[in-house]
Amino acid sequence: MTTILLLLAIGLGAGVLSGMFGIGGGILIVPGLVILMKLTQQQASATSLAALVIPIYAALGAYRFHQSGVEIDFKHAVLLAVGMAGGVLIGQLIATSVDGAILRRAFAVLLVFTAYKMWNG
């Protein structure tokens, strides 16, 4: 039962962050699965991607933004999706060929760098 509640809490937090900032998997789900659920970095990445297989939450969020009067640039969205489709295949090859500890540390560096850039503009 604790595992179920933890996973639901991670998912809920990711959903809130997705709705607020357009993020979730990399910022909350992957670290949550590594830290709280003790998955390897590769398992966490794969599990996060699997959770995106049914992206109804993203469609709901985008629809609600649209209803609120926020203009969505669908051309950009489609191009991002095409790039992501190719990128996820390359990323998977890299992730499964690198030691989990190195991958986890590289992910942490990416998060710190992103936070620094967001903070300082």
Side-chain angles (χ1 to χ4, degrees):
M1 186 61 151
T2 302
T3 298
I4 292 170
L5 292 176
L6 268 175
L7 291 169
L8 287 172
I10 292 168
L12 178 65
V16 170
L17 290 177
S18 291
M20 289 174 61
F21 305 117
I23 56 152
I27 299 299
L28 187 65
I29 293 175
V30 172
L33 291 174
V34 170
I35 295 165
L36 299 174
M37 304 306 299
K38 307 299 185 206
L39 270 63
T40 68
Q41 185 69 35
Q42 289 93 338
Q43 288 174 314
S45 294
T47 302
S48 179
L49 287 173
L52 298 174
V53 170
I54 305 172
I56 191 68
Y57 68 89
L60 269 173
Y63 176 70
R64 293 296 305 227
F65 268 107
H66 178 71
Q67 276 189 318
S68 298
V70 175
E71 185 178 335
I72 299 171
D73 190 324
F74 288 102
K75 180 179 177 186
H76 282 78
V78 168
L79 292 172
L80 286 168
V82 170
M84 288 171 63
V88 74
L89 296 175
I90 296 167
Q92 177 276 322
L93 289 173
I94 294 168
T96 54
S97 65
V98 173
D99 179 77
I102 293 170
L103 190 64
R104 189 177 64 250
R105 289 181 183 112
F107 182 64
V109 168
L110 174 66
L111 292 175
V112 170
F113 174 76
T114 301
Y116 174 81
K117 294 299 282 183
M118 291 296 292
W119 188 268
N120 292 303

Coordinates of all heavy atoms in Angstrom, one line a residue, residues 7-95:
L7 N 3.8 6.2 -5.3 CA 3.7 6.3 -6.7 C 2.6 7.3 -7.1 O 2.8 8.2 -8.0 CB 3.5 5.0 -7.4 CG 4.7 4.1 -7.4 CD1 4.3 2.7 -7.8 CD2 5.9 4.6 -8.2
L8 N 1.5 7.2 -6.4 CA 0.4 8.2 -6.7 C 0.8 9.6 -6.3 O 0.5 10.6 -7.1 CB -0.9 7.8 -5.9 CG -1.6 6.6 -6.5 CD1 -2.8 6.2 -5.5 CD2 -2.2 6.9 -7.9
A9 N 1.5 9.8 -5.2 CA 2.0 11.1 -4.8 C 3.0 11.6 -5.8 O 3.0 12.8 -6.2 CB 2.6 11.0 -3.4
I10 N 3.9 10.8 -6.3 CA 4.9 11.2 -7.3 C 4.2 11.6 -8.6 O 4.5 12.7 -9.2 CB 5.9 10.1 -7.6 CG1 6.8 9.9 -6.4 CG2 6.8 10.5 -8.8 CD1 7.7 8.6 -6.5
G11 N 3.2 10.8 -9.0 CA 2.4 11.2 -10.2 C 1.6 12.5 -10.0 O 1.6 13.3 -10.9
L12 N 1.0 12.6 -8.8 CA 0.3 13.9 -8.6 C 1.2 15.1 -8.6 O 0.9 16.1 -9.3 CB -0.4 13.8 -7.2 CG -1.2 15.0 -6.8 CD1 -2.4 15.2 -7.7 CD2 -1.6 14.8 -5.3
G13 N 2.3 15.0 -8.0 CA 3.3 16.1 -8.0 C 3.8 16.4 -9.4 O 3.9 17.6 -9.8
A14 N 4.0 15.3 -10.2 CA 4.4 15.5 -11.6 C 3.3 16.2 -12.4 O 3.6 17.1 -13.2 CB 4.8 14.2 -12.2
G15 N 2.1 15.8 -12.1 CA 1.0 16.4 -12.8 C 0.8 17.9 -12.5 O 0.6 18.7 -13.4
V16 N 1.0 18.2 -11.2 CA 0.9 19.6 -10.8 C 2.0 20.4 -11.5 O 1.8 21.5 -12.1 CB 1.0 19.8 -9.3 CG1 1.2 21.2 -8.9 CG2 -0.2 19.2 -8.6
L17 N 3.2 19.9 -11.5 CA 4.4 20.6 -12.1 C 4.1 20.7 -13.6 O 4.5 21.7 -14.3 CB 5.7 19.9 -11.8 CG 6.2 20.0 -10.4 CD1 7.5 19.2 -10.2 CD2 6.4 21.5 -10.0
S18 N 3.6 19.6 -14.2 CA 3.3 19.7 -15.7 C 2.3 20.8 -16.0 O 2.5 21.5 -17.0 CB 2.7 18.3 -16.1 OG 3.7 17.3 -16.1
G19 N 1.3 20.9 -15.2 CA 0.3 21.9 -15.4 C 0.8 23.3 -15.2 O 0.5 24.3 -15.9
M20 N 1.7 23.5 -14.2 CA 2.3 24.8 -13.9 C 3.4 25.2 -14.9 O 3.4 26.3 -15.3 CB 2.8 24.8 -12.5 CG 1.8 24.7 -11.4 SD 2.5 24.6 -9.7 CE 3.4 26.1 -9.6
F21 N 4.3 24.3 -15.1 CA 5.5 24.6 -15.8 C 5.8 23.8 -17.1 O 6.8 24.0 -17.8 CB 6.8 24.4 -14.9 CG 6.7 25.1 -13.6 CD1 6.7 24.4 -12.4 CD2 6.6 26.5 -13.6 CE1 6.6 25.1 -11.2 CE2 6.5 27.2 -12.4 CZ 6.5 26.5 -11.2
G22 N 4.9 22.9 -17.4 CA 5.1 22.1 -18.6 C 6.2 21.0 -18.4 O 6.8 20.5 -19.4
I23 N 6.4 20.6 -17.2 CA 7.5 19.6 -16.8 C 6.9 18.6 -15.9 O 5.7 18.7 -15.5 CB 8.7 20.3 -16.1 CG1 8.2 21.0 -14.9 CG2 9.4 21.2 -17.0 CD1 9.2 21.1 -13.8
G24 N 7.6 17.6 -15.6 CA 7.2 16.6 -14.6 C 8.1 15.4 -14.6 O 8.6 15.1 -13.5
G25 N 8.2 14.7 -15.7 CA 9.0 13.4 -15.7 C 10.4 13.6 -15.2 O 10.8 12.9 -14.3
G26 N 11.1 14.5 -15.9 CA 12.5 14.6 -15.5 C 12.8 15.3 -14.2 O 13.8 15.1 -13.6
I27 N 11.9 16.2 -13.8 CA 12.1 16.9 -12.6 C 11.6 16.2 -11.4 O 12.2 16.3 -10.3 CB 11.4 18.3 -12.7 CG1 12.0 19.1 -13.9 CG2 11.5 19.1 -11.5 CD1 13.4 19.4 -13.8
L28 N 10.5 15.5 -11.5 CA 10.0 14.8 -10.3 C 9.9 13.3 -10.4 O 10.3 12.6 -9.5 CB 8.6 15.4 -10.0 CG 8.0 15.0 -8.7 CD1 8.8 15.5 -7.5 CD2 6.6 15.5 -8.6
I29 N 9.4 12.8 -11.5 CA 9.2 11.4 -11.6 C 10.5 10.6 -11.5 O 10.6 9.7 -10.7 CB 8.4 11.0 -12.8 CG1 7.0 11.5 -12.8 CG2 8.4 9.5 -13.0 CD1 6.1 11.3 -14.0
V30 N 11.4 11.0 -12.3 CA 12.7 10.2 -12.3 C 13.4 10.3 -11.0 O 13.8 9.3 -10.4 CB 13.6 10.7 -13.5 CG1 15.0 10.1 -13.4 CG2 13.0 10.3 -14.8
P31 N 13.6 11.5 -10.4 CA 14.2 11.5 -9.1 C 13.4 10.8 -8.0 O 14.0 10.1 -7.2 CB 14.3 13.0 -8.8 CG 14.3 13.7 -10.1 CD 13.5 12.9 -10.9
G32 N 12.1 10.9 -8.1 CA 11.2 10.2 -7.1 C 11.4 8.7 -7.2 O 11.5 8.0 -6.2
L33 N 11.5 8.2 -8.4 CA 11.7 6.8 -8.6 C 13.0 6.3 -8.1 O 13.2 5.2 -7.6 CB 11.4 6.4 -10.1 CG 10.0 6.5 -10.6 CD1 9.9 6.2 -12.1 CD2 9.0 5.6 -9.8
V34 N 14.0 7.1 -8.4 CA 15.4 6.7 -7.9 C 15.5 6.8 -6.4 O 16.0 5.9 -5.8 CB 16.5 7.6 -8.6 CG1 17.8 7.4 -8.0 CG2 16.5 7.3 -10.1
I35 N 15.1 8.0 -5.9 CA 15.3 8.2 -4.4 C 14.3 7.5 -3.6 O 14.7 6.8 -2.6 CB 15.2 9.7 -4.1 CG1 16.3 10.5 -4.8 CG2 15.2 10.0 -2.6 CD1 16.1 12.0 -4.9
L36 N 13.0 7.5 -3.9 CA 12.0 6.9 -3.0 C 11.7 5.5 -3.3 O 11.5 4.7 -2.4 CB 10.7 7.7 -3.2 CG 10.8 9.2 -2.7 CD1 9.4 9.9 -3.0 CD2 11.1 9.3 -1.3
M37 N 11.8 5.1 -4.6 CA 11.4 3.7 -5.0 C 12.7 2.9 -5.2 O 12.6 1.7 -5.5 CB 10.6 3.7 -6.3 CG 9.3 4.5 -6.2 SD 8.2 4.1 -4.7 CE 7.9 2.4 -5.1
K38 N 13.8 3.5 -5.1 CA 15.1 2.8 -5.3 C 15.3 2.1 -6.6 O 16.0 1.0 -6.7 CB 15.3 1.7 -4.1 CG 15.1 2.3 -2.7 CD 16.1 3.4 -2.4 CE 15.9 3.8 -1.0 NZ 16.4 5.1 -0.7
L39 N 14.8 2.7 -7.7 CA 15.0 2.1 -9.0 C 16.4 2.6 -9.5 O 16.9 3.7 -9.0 CB 13.9 2.6 -10.0 CG 12.7 1.8 -10.2 CD1 11.9 1.7 -8.9 CD2 11.8 2.3 -11.3
T40 N 17.0 1.9 -10.4 CA 18.2 2.5 -11.1 C 17.8 3.7 -11.9 O 16.6 3.9 -12.3 CB 18.9 1.4 -11.9 OG1 18.0 1.1 -13.1 CG2 19.2 0.1 -11.2
Q41 N 18.8 4.4 -12.3 CA 18.6 5.6 -13.2 C 17.9 5.1 -14.5 O 17.0 5.8 -15.0 CB 19.9 6.3 -13.5 CG 19.7 7.6 -14.2 CD 19.0 8.7 -13.4 OE1 19.2 8.8 -12.3 NE2 18.2 9.5 -14.1
Q42 N 18.4 4.0 -15.1 CA 17.8 3.5 -16.3 C 16.4 3.1 -16.1 O 15.5 3.4 -16.9 CB 18.7 2.4 -16.9 CG 20.0 2.8 -17.4 CD 21.2 2.7 -16.4 OE1 20.9 2.7 -15.2 NE2 22.4 2.7 -16.9
Q43 N 16.1 2.4 -15.0 CA 14.8 1.9 -14.7 C 13.8 3.1 -14.6 O 12.7 3.1 -15.1 CB 14.7 1.1 -13.5 CG 15.3 -0.3 -13.6 CD 15.4 -1.0 -12.3 OE1 15.8 -0.4 -11.3 NE2 14.9 -2.3 -12.3
A44 N 14.3 4.1 -13.9 CA 13.5 5.3 -13.6 C 13.2 6.0 -14.9 O 12.0 6.5 -15.2 CB 14.2 6.3 -12.6
S45 N 14.2 6.2 -15.8 CA 13.9 6.8 -17.1 C 13.0 6.0 -17.9 O 12.0 6.6 -18.5 CB 15.3 7.0 -17.8 OG 16.1 7.9 -17.2
A46 N 13.1 4.7 -18.0 CA 12.2 3.9 -18.8 C 10.8 3.9 -18.2 O 9.8 4.0 -18.9 CB 12.8 2.4 -18.8
T47 N 10.7 3.9 -16.9 CA 9.4 3.9 -16.2 C 8.7 5.2 -16.5 O 7.5 5.3 -16.8 CB 9.5 3.6 -14.7 OG1 10.1 2.4 -14.6 CG2 8.1 3.6 -14.0
S48 N 9.4 6.3 -16.4 CA 8.9 7.7 -16.7 C 8.4 7.8 -18.1 O 7.3 8.3 -18.4 CB 9.9 8.7 -16.4 OG 9.4 10.0 -16.7
L49 N 9.1 7.2 -19.1 CA 8.7 7.2 -20.5 C 7.5 6.4 -20.6 O 6.6 6.7 -21.4 CB 9.8 6.7 -21.4 CG 11.0 7.7 -21.6 CD1 12.1 7.0 -22.3 CD2 10.6 8.9 -22.3
A50 N 7.4 5.2 -19.9 CA 6.2 4.4 -20.0 C 5.0 5.1 -19.5 O 3.9 4.9 -20.1 CB 6.5 3.1 -19.3
A51 N 5.1 5.9 -18.5 CA 4.0 6.7 -18.0 C 3.5 7.7 -19.0 O 2.3 8.1 -19.0 CB 4.4 7.4 -16.7
L52 N 4.3 8.1 -20.0 CA 3.9 9.0 -21.0 C 3.2 8.4 -22.2 O 2.8 9.0 -23.1 CB 5.2 9.8 -21.5 CG 5.9 10.6 -20.4 CD1 7.2 11.2 -21.0 CD2 5.0 11.7 -19.9
V53 N 3.1 7.0 -22.2 CA 2.5 6.3 -23.3 C 1.1 6.7 -23.5 O 0.6 6.8 -24.6 CB 2.7 4.8 -23.1 CG1 1.8 4.0 -24.1 CG2 4.1 4.4 -23.2
I54 N 0.4 7.0 -22.4 CA -1.0 7.4 -22.4 C -1.0 8.9 -22.0 O -1.3 9.2 -20.8 CB -1.9 6.6 -21.5 CG1 -1.7 5.1 -21.9 CG2 -3.3 7.0 -21.6 CD1 -2.4 4.2 -20.9
P55 N -0.7 9.8 -22.9 CA -0.5 11.2 -22.5 C -1.8 12.1 -22.4 O -1.8 13.2 -22.7 CB 0.4 11.8 -23.6 CG 0.0 11.0 -24.8 CD -0.3 9.6 -24.3
I56 N -2.8 11.4 -21.9 CA -4.1 12.2 -21.8 C -4.0 13.4 -20.9 O -4.6 14.4 -21.1 CB -5.2 11.2 -21.4 CG1 -6.6 11.9 -21.6 CG2 -5.1 10.8 -20.0 CD1 -7.0 12.1 -23.0
Y57 N -3.1 13.3 -19.9 CA -3.0 14.4 -19.0 C -2.4 15.6 -19.7 O -2.8 16.7 -19.4 CB -2.1 14.0 -17.8 CG -0.7 13.8 -18.1 CD1 0.2 14.8 -18.1 CD2 -0.3 12.5 -18.5 CE1 1.5 14.6 -18.5 CE2 1.0 12.3 -18.8 CZ 1.9 13.3 -18.8 OH 3.2 13.1 -19.2
A58 N -1.5 15.4 -20.6 CA -0.9 16.5 -21.4 C -2.0 17.1 -22.3 O -2.0 18.3 -22.4 CB 0.3 16.0 -22.2
A59 N -2.8 16.3 -22.9 CA -3.8 16.8 -23.8 C -4.8 17.6 -22.9 O -5.3 18.7 -23.4 CB -4.5 15.7 -24.5
L60 N -5.2 17.1 -21.8 CA -6.1 17.8 -20.9 C -5.5 19.2 -20.5 O -6.2 20.2 -20.5 CB -6.3 17.0 -19.6 CG -7.5 16.1 -19.7 CD1 -7.5 15.2 -18.4 CD2 -8.8 16.8 -19.8
G61 N -4.2 19.2 -20.1 CA -3.6 20.4 -19.7 C -3.5 21.4 -20.8 O -3.8 22.6 -20.6
A62 N -3.2 21.0 -22.0 CA -3.1 21.9 -23.1 C -4.5 22.4 -23.5 O -4.7 23.6 -23.7 CB -2.5 21.1 -24.4
Y63 N -5.5 21.6 -23.4 CA -6.9 22.0 -23.6 C -7.3 23.1 -22.6 O -7.9 24.1 -23.0 CB -7.8 20.8 -23.6 CG -9.3 21.2 -23.7 CD1 -9.8 21.6 -25.0 CD2 -10.2 21.1 -22.7 CE1 -11.1 22.0 -25.1 CE2 -11.5 21.5 -22.8 CZ -12.0 21.9 -24.0 OH -13.3 22.2 -24.2
R64 N -7.0 22.9 -21.4 CA -7.3 23.8 -20.3 C -6.6 25.1 -20.5 O -7.2 26.2 -20.3 CB -7.1 23.2 -18.9 CG -7.9 22.1 -18.5 CD -9.4 22.5 -18.4 NE -9.5 23.6 -17.5 CZ -10.4 23.7 -16.6 NH1 -11.2 22.7 -16.4 NH2 -10.4 24.7 -15.8
F65 N -5.3 25.1 -20.9 CA -4.6 26.3 -21.2 C -5.3 27.1 -22.4 O -5.6 28.3 -22.3 CB -3.2 26.0 -21.6 CG -2.2 26.1 -20.5 CD1 -1.7 24.9 -20.0 CD2 -1.8 27.3 -19.9 CE1 -0.8 24.9 -19.0 CE2 -0.9 27.3 -18.9 CZ -0.4 26.1 -18.4
H66 N -5.7 26.3 -23.4 CA -6.4 26.9 -24.5 C -7.8 27.5 -24.1 O -8.1 28.6 -24.5 CB -6.7 25.8 -25.6 CG -7.4 26.3 -26.8 ND1 -6.9 27.2 -27.7 CD2 -8.7 26.1 -27.2 CE1 -7.8 27.4 -28.6 NE2 -8.9 26.8 -28.3
Q67 N -8.5 26.8 -23.2 CA -9.8 27.4 -22.7 C -9.5 28.7 -21.9 O -10.4 29.5 -21.9 CB -10.4 26.3 -21.8 CG -11.2 25.3 -22.5 CD -12.0 24.5 -21.5 OE1 -11.5 24.1 -20.4 NE2 -13.3 24.2 -21.8
S68 N -8.4 28.8 -21.3 CA -8.1 30.0 -20.5 C -7.6 31.1 -21.4 O -7.3 32.2 -20.8 CB -7.0 29.6 -19.5 OG -7.5 28.6 -18.6
G69 N -7.5 30.9 -22.7 CA -7.1 32.0 -23.6 C -5.7 32.0 -23.9 O -5.2 32.9 -24.6
V70 N -4.9 31.0 -23.5 CA -3.5 30.9 -23.9 C -3.4 30.3 -25.3 O -3.9 29.3 -25.6 CB -2.7 30.0 -22.8 CG1 -1.3 29.8 -23.3 CG2 -2.8 30.6 -21.4
E71 N -2.7 31.0 -26.1 CA -2.5 30.6 -27.5 C -1.4 29.5 -27.5 O -0.3 29.7 -27.0 CB -2.1 31.8 -28.4 CG -2.0 31.4 -29.8 CD -1.6 32.6 -30.7 OE1 -1.9 33.7 -30.3 OE2 -1.0 32.4 -31.8
I72 N -1.8 28.4 -28.2 CA -0.8 27.3 -28.3 C -0.3 27.3 -29.7 O -1.0 27.4 -30.7 CB -1.5 25.9 -28.0 CG1 -2.1 25.9 -26.6 CG2 -0.6 24.8 -28.3 CD1 -3.0 24.7 -26.3
D73 N 1.0 27.2 -29.8 CA 1.7 27.1 -31.1 C 1.8 25.7 -31.5 O 2.8 25.0 -31.2 CB 3.0 27.8 -31.1 CG 3.7 28.0 -32.5 OD1 3.5 27.1 -33.3 OD2 4.3 29.0 -32.7
F74 N 0.8 25.2 -32.3 CA 0.8 23.8 -32.6 C 1.9 23.4 -33.6 O 2.4 22.2 -33.5 CB -0.6 23.4 -33.2 CG -1.7 23.3 -32.1 CD1 -2.6 24.4 -32.0 CD2 -1.7 22.3 -31.3 CE1 -3.5 24.4 -31.0 CE2 -2.7 22.2 -30.3 CZ -3.6 23.3 -30.2
K75 N 2.4 24.3 -34.4 CA 3.5 24.0 -35.3 C 4.7 23.7 -34.5 O 5.4 22.7 -34.7 CB 3.7 25.2 -36.2 CG 4.9 25.0 -37.2 CD 5.1 26.1 -38.1 CE 6.3 25.9 -39.0 NZ 6.6 27.1 -39.8
H76 N 5.0 24.5 -33.5 CA 6.1 24.2 -32.6 C 5.9 22.9 -31.8 O 6.9 22.1 -31.7 CB 6.2 25.4 -31.5 CG 6.9 26.6 -32.1 ND1 6.2 27.5 -32.9 CD2 8.1 27.1 -31.9 CE1 7.0 28.5 -33.2 NE2 8.2 28.3 -32.6
A77 N 4.7 22.6 -31.4 CA 4.4 21.4 -30.7 C 4.7 20.2 -31.5 O 5.3 19.2 -31.1 CB 3.0 21.4 -30.2
V78 N 4.3 20.2 -32.8 CA 4.5 19.1 -33.7 C 6.0 18.9 -33.9 O 6.5 17.8 -33.9 CB 3.7 19.2 -35.0 CG1 4.1 18.2 -36.0 CG2 2.2 19.1 -34.7
L79 N 6.7 20.0 -34.2 CA 8.1 19.9 -34.4 C 8.9 19.4 -33.2 O 9.8 18.6 -33.3 CB 8.7 21.2 -34.9 CG 8.2 21.7 -36.3 CD1 8.6 23.1 -36.6 CD2 8.7 20.7 -37.4
L80 N 8.5 19.8 -32.0 CA 9.1 19.3 -30.8 C 8.8 17.8 -30.7 O 9.7 17.1 -30.3 CB 8.5 20.0 -29.6 CG 9.0 21.5 -29.4 CD1 8.1 22.2 -28.3 CD2 10.4 21.5 -29.0
A81 N 7.6 17.4 -31.0 CA 7.3 16.0 -30.9 C 8.1 15.1 -31.8 O 8.6 14.0 -31.4 CB 5.8 15.7 -31.1
V82 N 8.3 15.6 -33.0 CA 9.1 14.8 -34.0 C 10.5 14.7 -33.5 O 11.2 13.7 -33.6 CB 9.0 15.5 -35.4 CG1 10.0 14.9 -36.4 CG2 7.6 15.4 -36.0
G83 N 11.1 15.9 -33.0 CA 12.4 15.9 -32.5 C 12.6 14.9 -31.3 O 13.5 14.2 -31.2
M84 N 11.6 14.9 -30.4 CA 11.6 14.1 -29.3 C 11.5 12.6 -29.6 O 12.2 11.8 -29.0 CB 10.4 14.4 -28.3 CG 10.6 15.7 -27.6 SD 9.1 16.3 -26.7 CE 8.9 15.0 -25.5
A85 N 10.8 12.3 -30.7 CA 10.7 10.9 -31.1 C 12.1 10.3 -31.5 O 12.4 9.2 -31.1 CB 9.7 10.7 -32.3
G86 N 12.8 11.1 -32.3 CA 14.2 10.7 -32.6 C 15.1 10.7 -31.4 O 16.0 9.9 -31.2
G87 N 15.0 11.8 -30.6 CA 15.9 12.0 -29.5 C 15.7 10.9 -28.4 O 16.7 10.5 -27.8
V88 N 14.5 10.5 -28.2 CA 14.3 9.4 -27.2 C 15.0 8.1 -27.6 O 15.5 7.4 -26.7 CB 12.8 9.2 -26.8 CG1 12.1 8.5 -27.9 CG2 12.6 8.6 -25.5
L89 N 15.1 7.8 -28.8 CA 15.8 6.6 -29.3 C 17.3 6.7 -29.1 O 17.9 5.8 -28.6 CB 15.4 6.4 -30.8 CG 14.0 6.1 -31.1 CD1 13.8 5.9 -32.6 CD2 13.5 4.8 -30.4
I90 N 17.8 7.9 -29.4 CA 19.2 8.1 -29.2 C 19.5 8.1 -27.7 O 20.5 7.5 -27.2 CB 19.7 9.5 -29.8 CG1 19.5 9.4 -31.3 CG2 21.1 9.8 -29.4 CD1 19.6 10.7 -32.0
G91 N 18.7 8.8 -26.9 CA 18.9 8.9 -25.4 C 18.8 7.5 -24.8 O 19.6 7.2 -23.9
Q92 N 18.0 6.6 -25.3 CA 17.9 5.3 -24.7 C 19.1 4.5 -25.0 O 19.6 3.8 -24.1 CB 16.7 4.5 -25.4 CG 16.5 3.1 -24.9 CD 17.3 2.1 -25.7 OE1 17.5 2.3 -26.9 NE2 17.9 1.2 -25.1
L93 N 19.7 4.7 -26.2 CA 21.0 4.0 -26.5 C 22.1 4.4 -25.6 O 22.9 3.6 -25.1 CB 21.3 4.2 -28.0 CG 20.5 3.5 -29.0 CD1 20.9 4.0 -30.4 CD2 20.6 2.0 -28.9
I94 N 22.1 5.7 -25.3 CA 23.2 6.3 -24.4 C 22.9 5.8 -23.0 O 23.9 5.3 -22.4 CB 23.2 7.8 -24.5 CG1 23.6 8.3 -25.9 CG2 24.1 8.4 -23.4 CD1 23.4 9.8 -26.1
A95 N 21.7 5.9 -22.6 CA 21.4 5.5 -21.2 C 21.7 4.1 -20.8 O 22.1 3.8 -19.7 CB 19.9 5.8 -20.9

